[in-house]
């Protein structure tokens, strides 16, 4: 039996079948060399709850990855356009089939708000346009007068804009 296994191993070796080499682990050392603080501005226009839920997971993972790599993350999430409709604390307008997803979005927003150096902002122009000027927003979300002015200001402060269309 041992002899048979040895022959099988020899045949595999002669045939060039060998274990695949281990892939290199991903890393950001080159990109983050000399960088102590990373400023990200997430420009959120996405109003699809499932897609936004996925993006919010990416944002949380990004924040945590930067911390693991010894960098200080600073993030601003600016909601504009139809995306502001997902920020209402009231769920009266949410179709029953989307209720679970909007609750997941709100859960992610609360978790992001609890993270150090994360700001949640909503465009007041969009809030008014969508009839939400008086709406109670998810805790931690603060209106800005105009998202374009906020984006320009944060960009000038060194934030990198990441579109979330």
């Amino acid at each position: 039996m041992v002899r048979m296994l040895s022959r099988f191993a020899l045949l595999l070796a002669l045939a060039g079948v060998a274990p695949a080499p281990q892939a290199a682990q991903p890393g950001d050392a080159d990109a983050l060399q000399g960088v102590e603080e990373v400023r990200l501005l997430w420009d959120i226009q996405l109003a699809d709850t499932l897609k936004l839920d996925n993006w919010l997971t990416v944002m949380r993972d990004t924040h945590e990855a930067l911390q693991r790599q010894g960098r200080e993350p600073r993030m601003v999430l600016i909601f504009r356009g139809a995306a502001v409709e997902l920020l209402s604390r009231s769920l009266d307008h949410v179709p029953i089939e989307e209720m679970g997803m909007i609750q997941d979005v709100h859960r992610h927003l609360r978790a992001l708000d609890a993270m150090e150096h994360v700001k949640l902002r909503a465009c007041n122009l969009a809030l008014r346009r969508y009839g939400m000027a008086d709406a109670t927003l998810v805790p931690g979300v603060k209106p800005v007068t105009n998202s374009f002015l906020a984006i320009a200001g944060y960009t000038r402060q060194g934030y990198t804009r990441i579109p979330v269309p």
Side-chain angles (χ1 to χ4, degrees):
M1 177 71 138
V2 172
R3 190 172 181 189
M4 197 169 168
L5 288 174
S6 296
R7 284 185 185 166
F8 183 70
L10 178 62
L11 285 173
L12 285 176
L14 291 174
V17 178
Q22 289 285 333
Q25 291 297 312
D28 305 306
D30 291 343
L32 297 175
Q33 186 174 359
V35 176
E36 293 179 22
E37 179 182 274
V38 177
R39 295 178 179 210
L40 301 173
L41 169 68
W42 303 90
D43 179 6
I44 303 167
Q45 301 174 62
L46 188 60
D48 179 294
T49 53
L50 178 60
K51 290 179 182 176
L52 181 57
D53 187 61
N54 290 330
W55 269 98
L56 293 171
T57 299
V58 168
M59 293 172 202
R60 288 177 64 185
D61 290 348
T62 300
H63 189 281
E64 292 166 359
L66 286 167
Q67 286 182 320
R68 276 193 310 274
Q69 295 180 58
R71 304 315 193 274
E72 183 175 312
R74 293 187 179 269
M75 295 174 27
V76 178
L77 285 64
I78 295 183
F79 291 81
R80 62 185 179 107
V84 299
E85 290 186 298
L86 303 178
L87 301 176
S88 176
R89 205 186 270 187
S90 168
L91 302 178
D92 295 341
H93 65 288
V94 178
I96 192 74
E97 62 273 6
E98 289 187 35
M99 190 65 71
M101 285 308 304
I102 194 74
Q103 289 172 334
D104 286 346
V105 165
H106 288 185
R107 182 179 45 79
H108 277 295
L109 290 174
R110 284 191 302 274
L112 282 159
D113 183 49
M115 293 178 154
E116 193 172 12
H117 303 299
V118 175
K119 298 176 184 177
L120 308 176
R121 301 294 182 257
C123 177
N124 194 54
L125 293 176
L127 289 170
R128 289 194 336 243
R129 181 174 178 214
Y130 288 92
M132 297 179 58
D134 297 325
T136 303
L137 303 178
V138 173
V141 178
K142 295 180 183 175
V144 294
T145 305
N146 179 325
S147 60
F148 300 119
L149 296 177
I151 290 168
Y154 282 114
T155 301
R156 185 82 171 129
Q157 293 176 40
Y159 283 78
T160 300
R161 181 182 162 267
I162 301 173
V164 182

